[in-house]
Amino acid sequence: MKQLLVAAMALLAIACNSPDSQGASNSESNTPVATPRAVRDNSPAESPDITLTLSGVQVGSPVSLIGHLNEQRFRADSTVVGQGGVIHFQRSEPYLPGFYYILIPQQAVVQLLIDKDQTMQLQADATDVIGTMQVEGNLENEILYQNLQFEQNQSPKFDAISSQLQGLQKGSAEYERLTAERSALIQERKAHLQGLFEQYPNTFFTSYKRAGQNPDLREPKRPDGSIDTEAQVYYFRQDFWNGVDFTDERLLRTPVIFNKLNRYITELTAQNPDSLKAATKYLMEKVVDNEATKEYLKFFANWITLKYEPTKTTLMDAEAMYVFMVQNYFTRERAFWSDSMNIYGLQQRAEEMAGSLVGHKAPNVTSFAPDGSEKTLLDLKAPYLIVYMYNPTCEHCMEQTPKLVNFYREWKSKGVDVYGIALDTDQQEWTDYIRKTGMNWTNVFDPTNRSIYGKYYVDVTPEIYVIGPDRKIIAKNIKVNQIEEVIRRDKQKG
């Protein structure tokens, strides 16, 4: 929990101490957001006619207009620098509203907000694009650069205070003076943004910048008067999405939504399935079953599911997160972006995973030993059971099997037994492998897979499950060298 508070404080520091980087993150200062959503007109966007005159760039240089879509960037258009540093983008088809930047490699980057009005003239010096920018004919970018110029002027003041604070003792007179100056700068920034929001409530700029705000840290108190940091992190996470208008699809074509999603899931949420499921459910309830927010549902559902796809993450029991996402959001009613066959395949895979999640009762398996007799997993009497699923020709199995053999020799007398399940092999290869590796535990193999299908899910071999004394799964997706720690922690809980 302390790490989550540090992450929350880091977000605030980023918001308070630095302006938006060009074409990068858009987390902003801490202003509570309770103003009305922007009223957007439904008129079509006009054909773009964008002229940028940029002094200090080389004539003939290639120029790209780069757009954003969720976490990706794409080239929306291209041209070259003309005489006098003139850069012109003009075509009949409108650009999709969103955040763009004009890129002249190794020479300049120019930020743009593009909405319905796609006619504008801009002029600046490449050595100081923000400070020298002049905009005509486009309100969105007039406001954007008014804000960027304010933040650029504030940035050295924040940097100077941060530098002076280094090494000062907290609570000293100089420390208190500097932190008061920093707080005054933060309030100045809040007032500046709030003034723009109130003056231009229906602009894309306001929707975009408001979405990028971080919430103020609340200060819940314990009975002794100290700040309850655990509750503080909880409230920060609860407030994190307050400024986002989930009906505004333009925001999906800016960096702000992906940046917030990534931080919310990976920095502000503890990386265990229970915490991730709770945080995800809280977010998804803001966008599910609403036609106006369906594009957010699509992005969030796909990004989170792929983030914790079992073969691509080190999260303990990633299957639990995957099953949760598929069973709740990749349904025929909600997954409008996918066809019925894909949905069926995902649901079937999730169902196969669902029976062997951490915390669930361990499925029983009865299969065939090398002599043809039946061996049942839960007939084993040791307090801790290891289900080891392997293939004799698997490279990683060849690495892990000798380690498990050594572990078993040491821990057999300490209350551990192993039930080995061979996969995708044949009788001769299997029995040869047992003899070669010295796997003297219970070994089974079913060439039909009928006795083991749907019991213990395995994406890649080797797969290790650990079953505790109450015959619940206490760990999975681990290496042999992690088994001892898993057992030690489980004993401490008891």
Side-chain angles (χ1 to χ4, degrees):
M1 185 55 64
K2 181 178 179 182
Q3 291 177 330
L4 294 183
L5 179 61
V6 170
M9 295 299 290
L11 288 178
L12 292 175
I14 291 170
C16 294
N17 293 328
S18 64
D20 293 343
S21 59
Q22 295 185 348
S25 171
N26 288 280
S27 288
E28 302 302 332
S29 60
N30 319 317
T31 304
V33 178
T35 50
R37 302 303 189 188
V39 178
R40 295 183 297 279
D41 70 76
N42 295 318
S43 62
E46 65 181 7
S47 298
D49 187 355
I50 301 171
T51 302
L52 168 64
T53 303
L54 199 58
S55 61
V57 293
Q58 186 175 350
V59 173
S61 297
V63 183
S64 297
L65 180 66
I66 306 296
H68 287 256
L69 178 60
N70 299 324
E71 63 185 301
Q72 300 175 333
R73 298 179 183 182
F74 63 94
R75 181 179 296 168
D77 212 339
S78 60
T79 186
V80 296
V81 177
Q83 293 296 324
V86 175
I87 298 163
H88 194 201
F89 290 102
Q90 186 175 30
R91 68 181 195 181
S92 58
E93 182 182 356
Y95 301 121
L96 289 172
F99 176 91
Y100 291 77
Y101 58 93
I102 296 173
L103 173 65
I104 310 169
Q106 300 179 334
Q107 296 182 67
V109 178
V110 179
Q111 300 179 56
L112 291 179
L113 283 177
I114 295 180
D115 195 21
K116 300 293 182 65
D117 178 4
Q118 301 192 8
T119 299
M120 64 193 81
Q121 297 81 44
L122 307 97
Q123 184 172 342
D125 190 311
T127 61
D128 181 13
V129 170
I130 292 174
T132 62
M133 178 60 71
Q134 299 176 42
V135 181
E136 294 182 7
N138 186 271
L139 179 61
E140 298 289 355
N141 288 289
E142 289 179 23
I143 311 168
L144 174 66
Y145 277 94
Q146 183 180 342
N147 173 245
L148 290 174
Q149 287 164 359
F150 173 87
E151 293 189 345
Q152 182 169 276
N153 290 333
Q154 265 207 338
S155 184
K157 301 174 186 177
F158 277 112
D159 292 342
I161 291 173
S162 296
S163 178
Q164 293 175 68
L165 280 171
Q166 291 182 5
L168 289 179
Q169 184 176 356
K170 188 174 181 180
S172 67
E174 184 64 7
Y175 181 92
E176 295 300 324
R177 182 185 68 81
L178 289 169
T179 53
E181 288 184 12
R182 183 172 60 184
S183 295
L185 287 174
I186 292 171
Q187 293 304 316
E188 185 180 355
R189 176 174 288 185
K190 288 182 179 181
H192 163 77
L193 274 178
Q194 192 60 33
L196 292 177
F197 294 165
E198 292 173 359
Q199 187 175 359
Y200 307 105
N202 299 328
T203 59
F204 180 26
F205 168 86
T206 291
S207 182
Y208 165 65
K209 294 298 283 189
R210 182 182 286 142
Q213 303 301 293
N214 287 318
D216 284 321
L217 274 178
R218 303 193 208 179
E219 296 189 351
K221 300 295 180 63
R222 297 190 180 98
D224 63 2
S226 63
I227 294 177
D228 186 337
T229 54
E230 185 173 345
Q232 191 173 50
V233 170
Y234 170 80
Y235 287 128
F236 187 89
R237 191 165 52 234
Q238 293 292 104
D239 297 342
F240 192 64
W241 294 95
N242 285 356
V244 177
D245 180 357
F246 292 106
T247 69
D248 190 347
E249 292 181 14
R250 297 172 301 184
L251 297 176
L252 290 168
R253 294 187 286 273
T254 76
V256 71
I257 298 301
F258 166 67
N259 288 344
K260 288 186 80 81
L261 177 62
N262 188 43
R263 286 171 176 156
Y264 176 75
I265 291 294
T266 64
E267 295 178 25
L268 294 178
T269 303
Q271 295 300 289
N272 62 72
D274 287 343
S275 296
L276 286 166
K277 286 191 288 185
T280 298
K281 184 174 186 292
Y282 177 78
L283 173 60
M284 297 300 273
E285 284 177 350
K286 298 178 181 294
V287 298
V288 295
D289 306 326
N290 184 342
E291 182 68 18
T293 60
K294 66 178 185 178
E295 290 301 321
Y296 285 85
L297 168 63
K298 175 183 176 181
F299 174 48
F300 292 164
N302 280 280
W303 188 87
I304 295 171
T305 304
L306 289 174
K307 175 75 177 175
Y308 296 104
E309 207 284 329
T311 62
K312 299 175 182 177
T313 179
T314 58
L315 178 72
M316 170 71 78
D317 200 16
E319 284 93 343
M321 190 63 187
Y322 184 88
V323 168
F324 170 78
M325 293 302 299
V326 171
Q327 292 185 340
N328 284 280
Y329 307 111
F330 285 83
T331 64
R332 290 184 180 179
E333 296 78 18
R334 289 175 170 171
F336 64 90
W337 58 88
S338 190
D339 62 44
S340 59
M341 288 303 296
N342 284 333
I343 292 171
Y344 173 79
L346 290 169
Q347 290 288 338
Q348 185 177 43
R349 186 184 185 213
E351 185 177 356
E352 291 171 0
M353 292 179 179
S356 54
L357 301 178
V358 171
H360 288 208
K361 280 289 186 182
N364 203 5
V365 176
T366 298
S367 196
F368 305 101
D371 63 3
S373 63
E374 290 188 337
K375 299 293 182 181
T376 298
L377 168 63
L378 296 184
D379 283 349
L380 302 180
K381 303 304 182 183
Y384 291 93
L385 305 181
I386 297 168
V387 178
Y388 183 57
M389 306 175 75
Y390 65 94
N391 174 273
T393 61
C394 153
E395 182 178 344
H396 293 294
C397 301
M398 294 177 187
E399 173 192 339
Q400 290 294 306
T401 298
K403 295 179 180 179
L404 185 57
V405 168
N406 291 334
F407 177 85
Y408 178 65
R409 287 171 182 164
E410 179 184 351
W411 279 79
K412 182 179 181 181
S413 61
K414 300 178 184 179
V416 174
D417 208 344
V418 178
Y419 190 85
I421 302 175
L423 304 171
D424 301 325
T425 184
D426 59 44
Q427 186 78 14
Q428 189 63 53
E429 185 177 61
W430 171 48
T431 53
D432 288 348
Y433 190 74
I434 293 172
R435 282 193 296 270
K436 181 175 70 173
T437 57
M439 297 193 305
N440 294 323
W441 51 65
T442 301
N443 290 287
V444 299
F445 169 57
D446 180 357
T448 70
N449 280 334
R450 283 194 293 267
S451 64
I452 61 174
Y453 178 77
K455 301 293 181 66
Y456 289 88
Y457 186 82
V458 54
D459 249 332
V460 293
T461 52
E463 178 67 89
I464 293 174
Y465 287 79
V466 182
I467 300 170
D470 61 357
R471 294 311 184 235
K472 289 183 179 179
I473 298 169
I474 61 173
K476 61 188 292 189
N477 307 131
I478 61 173
K479 302 295 186 184
V480 172
N481 62 7
Q482 297 172 290
I483 297 174
E484 181 176 349
E485 178 66 13
V486 166
I487 294 174
R488 183 185 67 80
R489 290 185 179 182
D490 187 70
K491 287 181 176 181
Q492 287 178 344
K493 289 192 304 183

